[in-house]
Amino acid sequence: MSAVERNVERRSGHDVGFLLDHWEELIAKRGWKKTLIHNAGDWPVFAVENGPAEAGEVGGIYVSAGVHGDECAPPWALLEWAESHAKELGQFPFLIFPCLNPQGIAENTRVDGGGIDLNRNFQNAEIPIIAAWQNFLAKRKFRVAVNLHEDYDATGTYLYELARSHSIGHRLLSACEKWIARETVAEVDGSEFDNGLLCREVDENVLRQVVEEDLEGGWPEAIWLYLDHTEDSFTFETPSELELSRRIAAHREFLDEILIASSLR
Ligand SMILES: [Zn+2]
């Protein structure tokens, strides 16, 4: 089924069963490795990777979507992107979590089935899904990590960049402008943004302090990944009140551009 045909058949952006069925098909077609890490209510949470990633090769890309269930464009964008990048996804290690909070997506709610905001709990191994995720990550190291999100207050795109190498944030946002313009407000959730970009090139101790003071000790996925598992880390956000197809297109564009800007293709 093409992406266009699927868009006709999809009941809504929250049709998570339909999403996961299409992932199963794609994984079988490409011969990728699927690992079930957790059952969230009726839904499986699984990792998808290629041979080099499974063998523990350093580098390549980590991508996750669906951490917040009221942000439904990213999981569809990630599926479409993976379907259309068979060649590239054979050239470097990749690890994808297609949907980390399927129950939230199904119910159109930010939190998981236990009422937890996972993206303020990636340090918390008392939460089964987080413990499973941490165990699966183990000692893996990536060139770049991408977390795809949305924001219902936003009117444009914006990006959190944690960069050890040089900053590519403005380049990434520019590439997505053909679908959605950048957020224009200077402050989002208490942080100062420069034309849609918050770039932090800081040492680990400063970052730990940011988590403790600004986020009350609740670790977002991107910061956890940055400290232990990736050279650079990105959290891309689209406005969740815009039309779904434009949001999907913007997330796909972001992933396309990051492969080029991070020299993965
Ligand atoms: Zn989010």
Side-chain angles (χ1 to χ4, degrees), residues 44-63:
V45 176
F46 53 80
V48 185
E49 61 189 326
N50 60 2
E54 193 186 355
E57 197 179 301
V58 171
I61 190 167
Y62 169 102
V63 192

Side-chain angles (χ1 to χ4, degrees), residues 137-169:
L137 264 284
K139 297 194 186 318
R140 291 163 187 264
K141 302 273 184 199
F142 299 92
R143 164 70 188 84
V144 62
V146 181
N147 305 138
L148 301 174
H149 280 261
E150 299 199 273
D151 182 342
Y152 58 79
D153 286 327
T155 57
T157 64
Y158 62 92
L159 176 64
Y160 297 92
E161 176 178 30
L162 293 165
R164 286 193 177 85
S165 55
H166 64 291
S167 171
I168 56 170

